[in-house]
Structure formats: C-alpha cells, structure tokens
Amino acid sequence: MSPSIIPVELFDLVVFGGTGDLAKRKLLPALYHRDCDDQIPDESRIIAISRSELDKDTYANLVRDALQEHVSEELIDDSVLDRFLGRLDYVSLDAKADAGWSELGTRLGGHDDRVRVFYLATAPGLFGEVCRKINENRLNTPKSRVVLEKPIGRDLASAKQINDAVGKVFAEDQTYRIDHYLGKETVQNLMVLRFANTLFEPLWNATAIDHVQITVAEAIGVEGRGGYYDRSGALRDMVQNHLLQLLCLVAMEPPTSLTADAVRDEKLKVLRALKPITGSDVSKKTVRGQYKAGASNGAAVPGYIDELGSDFESRTETFVAMKAEIENWRWAGVPFYLRTGKRLATRTSEIVVHFKSIPHSIFPVGADDVTENRLVVRLQPDEGMELSLMVKDPGPGGMRLRPASLNLSFAETFKVRYRDAYERLLMDVVRGNPTLFMRRDEVEAAWTWIEPVINAWQEQREPPKPYTASSWGPSAAIALIERDGRTWYEV
Ligand code: BG6
C-alpha cells in the first residue's frame, strides 16, 4: 500500500473570505490537521483576505480561537499550533476596490515558483470580479489554481456567467469547483465498493435493483446563515450539488480509470440522462417543505421564520423530496428518491440500494414475505455499510425466515480518525488532482435539470408544505414514495 500521508509541494494559499464562517469552521481546521500530520511543507503560507482592517497578529488570535472551538481538544498540540499560526498572513482588501491588491502582490512576490492557490470562500457574485483583479494584478502564475466554493450561481444563466468570468482568467484545468461531499470518506468508498469488488457490479442495474434512496438529513437549522440560505433554499443548497453528485457516483458507468476526466465524463452522462421534471410532473415528483416550531429532547425548537428573525413570510424551502429517473439502459424504470432537509429528526446521510424481491419462494412464506436485500451506505454520522440478507431463524420451528445484517462500521474496523472532506480536497488542489472536483459542464448540466423545478415552484406560487421541526418532513414526502408502493428507509 502507498503511504497514507503523501507529501505535497510548497504552496501559498490565498483565502478570500478569510474571516468568514467557512474559513473558521472548515478550511483552517482542515489545514491545521494536515499540519499535525506534517503534510504541509515548511515554508508554505496561508494568506487570509477580507475587508476588515486587521493586522497579522490579530488575525492569528482569531484563528487560534476558531481552532480551539472547531478542533477537538485532544487534537490541539501547542507546538503544531504555534507553527501553524506562524504560517498565517493577512491582507485587508475589498474585492471590488483597487486598494490592497498591490499589497497582496508584494506578499506573494518572489514566490512564483510555488503552487499558488486562490480559494474563493466568498459570495459567488464576487468570483468574476476577484478573478479579474487577480489577472489585472498579474497574480495568476503558471502554477496557480482557483477554488470556487458552491453555489456556482443560482440558475443556469448565472452559473454560465460565473464560469465565463472565471474562465477568462483561469483555464479549466486550473479551476477547482468544490463539492465537499466528494471528499467524504464513504463517498469515495462508493467507488471502491462498486469497482474494487466483483460482487455488486453484475447486479448494479435495473434487472436486480428496484429503487435507490438518497437521504441527507440535518438536525440543525440555518445556524446564522439565514441571509444566504433564504435566497438559496434546500434545492439549490443541497440537491443541485451534493445529492446529485451522490446520485452520479451510484449511477455512473465504470470509468476507464481514476483520472479526473474519465470520472467526470461518466458523471456527466448520468446528469444528462436525468429525465426532465416539467409541467404537471413537478407536483407529482417533487415536494418542498419548511419547518415550523417543534421540540427536540424536550427543548423547544424555533420555526424557520423565527430562526431567520424575519418579519415577512419567507417561502424558501428547507426540505425537498423528489423522484429522479435516469433514462438509460442501466437504470430504466429504477427511481432514485432524493430527500434532504434542515431540522429533521436526526443527522444522517445515507444511500440505500433496494434490490428486487425474489421471483419465486420455495419456503412456507410467499415471495412477498421475503424481505428484499438492501445495501445501506452510511456517509454520516457513523460511516459504514450494511447489507441486509434473509437468514433462517435459528432453532426449531421449521424454515422460519428473518432478515439480518452484515454491518461494517469503519470507525470500529479501522480505528482511525476520519479526515474531514476539506483536508483531502485542499491537498488535492495543491497536488493538482481535480478528480474530486466538478467540471464546468457537470455544474451546468446539474442546473439544466434543476432549473425547470425552480421555475415551476415559482410559477405555482404555493407556499412550501409545513413540517414540525425534528420530524421527517411534510407528510407529502411520505405520500410521494408511497404512491409507488414503497416507503422511506427508516433510520
Ligand atoms: C453545505 C450547505 O454545502 O453542506 C449547508 O451549504 C449544509 O447548508 C452542509 O449544512 C452540510 O454538510 P455536512 O458535511 O455537514 O453534511
């Protein structure tokens, strides 16, 4: 086996949005962890950018606090922490104005031979402008890369606009569109499960599979991100990217290799084969919901509108359930049910592959009484896989059948700390490996499928269906799957 820590080249990472929520919660903790594993070369630097007038030391203190909040206590090592804080630099700059850019140029100057990463953890409306300024100030070196956080736009036209603006400065192979779900351990394991085992692939099609469910449920609400979320909603925030990427990895044909384009070509084919949801199908195949006040473990949980602190009735959806169909030979007639929401009963993300029932029963019970096989791929919180099989109930009493599970918990089996997706993805950017990032055509194909649903929802002018916080969403989501004679897998 190759070593688990693969060294990366010397780099300078420039984080636009350096004082923002994503930087504090995810990017800086991820980089700190990489430093703990000695993966960050000695002279590498992290240059944070934001509009606030801070000096380097104040910024380092802010990062120290953020790490203390977002890294578990036992993983804080004072000597690594000091080394990590020593890598930080800070430049105050407003992306829309000229001031500050020459200072950034000065800090970067003389290091054109290093890998240079521009991480745009800002509103997508700024991506084009930041790239234009990077170009104007001649900061785009041959070893530069740009990382774009989602959402890339809010519809197809705005996504194209952003991609065009970024594309004027950075070539496609310098552009890393991040979807952190692709960096999750179990998501990668999906590829290993499918393509490093002979067991499943012959069955991975409409002949053996009845349907697939993909659930990404969150127990949290909008967590102070109401301003962004209310303009976005669950369809744009989660389905257009994370859930569709999961669907692609389940449904794609085996790529010829793990190279970026081989994998991305196959995912793109899936996105293009998605049956458009238009007209009256929108009400039949999609459900949008919004949480109302409820309770969790005896404590009151506010509704969405209260959490926003808004004095108007927002119609933004915090829950989506939908039925997707893939029009190709492998998946004809196999629905993919997708569901995601905030303030659901529990935090869980999983992919459930339901196999077909047996064609005939030789047992005392009928074929319908034999529970179908099911493969559950758990992404979080307890990463693992579970395969349910029928077995004989032990002991006397004749051939009594019952379902039982083969359960693989990665935490118990491997006893290692599970790396956050951003740790892997950030190092992949430095390495120049875009396999786990979205190519322009993928993002645009995903918008092409999502957009008619957004438009139809807007035209219908119906408010989202209410659901109680800490429940499993509106009853219409249950009806959506039950109309097809199926039920949501119970967590
Ligand atoms: C982000 C969304 O992309 O993913 C958030 O913007 C969501 O709204 C988050 O909470 C979920 O990520 P994870 O890794 O916690 O499942």
Side-chain angles (χ1 to χ4, degrees):
M1 265 210 271
S2 52
S4 60
I5 310 291
I6 306 171
V8 296
E9 259 186 73
L10 187 57
F11 65 87
D12 282 339
L13 169 65
V14 184
V15 184
F16 288 85
T19 53
D21 189 55
L22 183 77
K24 288 195 281 192
R25 263 188 326 113
K26 292 289 183 183
L27 305 181
L28 292 156
L31 290 161
Y32 166 77
H33 284 308
R34 295 297 80 229
D35 215 355
C36 288
D37 280 348
D38 289 328
Q39 197 173 16
I40 300 199
D42 281 348
E43 306 286 309
S44 287
R45 295 179 301 164
I46 299 160
I47 305 175
I49 309 284
S50 92
R51 279 184 302 184
S52 320
E53 293 287 345
L54 303 178
D55 59 25
K56 192 172 152 175
D57 292 340
T58 319
Y59 184 67
N61 283 335
L62 184 148
V63 173
R64 184 190 296 274
D65 292 348
L67 293 180
Q68 258 139 14
E69 188 178 344
H70 299 292
V71 172
S72 25
E73 209 180 324
E74 71 275 11
L75 295 177
I76 298 274
D77 172 326
D78 287 338
S79 65
V80 181
L81 183 60
D82 287 344
R83 179 173 78 194
F84 181 73
L85 297 178
R87 300 182 186 285
L88 301 176
D89 201 350
Y90 182 84
V91 176
S92 159
L93 167 165
D94 178 349
K96 291 189 188 144
D98 289 335
W101 283 92
S102 67
E103 183 54 36
L104 175 60
T106 309
R107 309 273 175 105
L108 287 170
H111 296 298
D112 289 9
D113 51 333
R114 298 181 176 188
V115 168
R116 185 175 292 173
V117 179
F118 295 102
Y119 198 116
L120 311 195
T122 63
L126 286 177
F127 291 173
E129 187 56 13
V130 172
C131 291
R132 207 176 62 73
K133 285 275 182 12
I134 288 174
N135 195 38
E136 207 174 274
N137 289 277
R138 298 173 195 278
L139 303 179
N140 179 11
T141 54
K143 286 176 107 174
S144 286
R145 279 130 218 199
V146 66
V147 185
L148 309 179
E149 256 302 328
K150 63 157 267 275
I152 313 274
R154 44 180 295 108
D155 52 20
L156 181 59
S158 53
K160 281 186 171 166
Q161 224 171 33
I162 291 171
N163 284 329
D164 284 344
V166 173
K168 282 192 185 136
V169 179
F170 293 99
E172 182 62 30
D173 65 4
Q174 290 179 290
T175 307
Y176 290 70
R177 296 177 192 81
I178 209 160
D179 181 319
H180 77 280
Y181 267 60
L182 292 180
K184 287 186 189 272
E185 193 72 30
T186 326
V187 176
Q188 301 200 337
N189 233 322
L190 251 179
M191 281 204 269
V192 179
L193 174 81
R194 289 191 57 196
F195 308 129
N197 295 290
T198 48
L199 208 59
F200 295 110
E201 206 43 32
L203 300 175
W204 211 255
N205 54 47
T207 312
I209 292 179
D210 178 73
H211 74 282
V212 176
Q213 297 182 16
I214 301 179
T215 297
V216 177
E218 296 185 88
I220 54 169
V222 286
E223 304 282 291
R225 293 165 71 229
Y228 150 76
Y229 193 86
D230 200 51
R231 276 178 278 114
S232 174
L235 189 64
R236 290 184 173 99
D237 185 49
M238 298 294 287
V239 181
Q240 189 271 345
N241 34 74
H242 305 326
L243 275 87
L244 285 186
Q245 286 294 319
L246 296 181
L247 177 144
C248 285
L249 292 176
V250 175
M252 71 182 181
E253 295 300 316
T256 49
S257 70
L258 266 191
T259 57
D261 280 339
V263 174
R264 299 192 293 183
D265 285 347
E266 295 308 333
K267 287 196 290 163
L268 180 65
K269 285 185 208 160
V270 175
L271 291 168
R272 290 194 172 149
L274 283 170
K275 184 174 179 183
I277 302 183
T278 52
S280 59
D281 270 356
V282 175
S283 333
K284 284 190 220 134
K285 295 183 181 169
T286 72
V287 172
R288 55 198 297 260
Q290 190 188 81
Y291 60 88
K292 304 290 162 202
S296 171
N297 297 328
V301 178
Y304 176 67
I305 306 281
D306 286 341
E307 208 175 327
L308 272 187
S310 152
D311 46 12
F312 61 89
E313 283 296 301
S314 164
R315 291 190 164 201
T316 300
E317 79 285 353
T318 59
F319 175 95
V320 176
M322 59 202 301
K323 175 178 174 181
E325 290 155 289
I326 302 170
E327 297 189 300
N328 64 18
W329 274 52
R330 188 187 279 263
W331 296 114
V334 180
F336 282 65
Y337 298 97
L338 314 179
R339 126 181 111 148
T340 184
K342 298 228 179 257
R343 292 273 186 227
L344 294 184
T346 184
R347 173 179 186 244
T348 184
S349 297
E350 60 196 10
I351 298 166
V352 187
V353 179
H354 288 257
F355 290 89
K356 289 200 161 149
S357 40
I358 53 165
H360 166 75
S361 171
I362 60 165
F363 302 101
V365 291
D368 286 350
D369 298 313
V370 176
T371 311
E372 298 86 13
N373 299 126
R374 199 176 50 216
L375 174 69
V376 180
V377 179
R378 282 191 310 268
L379 271 53
Q380 53 197 28
D382 171 27
E383 289 96 341
M385 293 180 193
E386 191 176 328
L387 179 64
S388 76
L389 303 167
M390 287 307 284
V391 296
K392 179 187 167 298
D393 199 33
M399 271 293 193
R400 288 176 302 116
L401 310 187
R402 61 185 257 191
S405 291
L406 297 177
N407 201 345
L408 173 68
S409 155
F410 294 153
E412 273 175 34
T413 308
F414 300 112
K415 306 207 181 331
V416 290
R417 177 180 76 80
Y418 266 76
R419 272 40 178 186
D420 186 78
Y422 280 96
E423 294 182 46
R424 172 174 298 111
L425 295 174
L426 281 162
M427 293 300 102
D428 275 357
V429 177
V430 177
R431 272 185 212 114
N433 178 3
T435 303
L436 298 176
F437 296 81
M438 293 181 293
R439 210 168 50 191
R440 172 177 185 155
D441 46 10
E442 275 182 83
V443 173
E444 293 180 4
W447 279 122
T448 304
W449 187 69
I450 289 287
E451 200 171 70
V453 177
I454 298 178
N455 293 343
W457 283 353
Q458 252 162 19
E459 279 157 27
Q460 286 168 353
R461 306 199 62 75
E462 259 180 47
K465 305 246 182 315
Y467 63 95
T468 310
S470 306
S471 70
W472 275 108
S475 53
I478 298 170
L480 170 94
I481 193 166
E482 290 194 343
R483 273 198 297 276
D484 294 345
R486 302 178 173 111
T487 50
W488 291 108
Y489 172 68
E490 274 183 33
V491 181

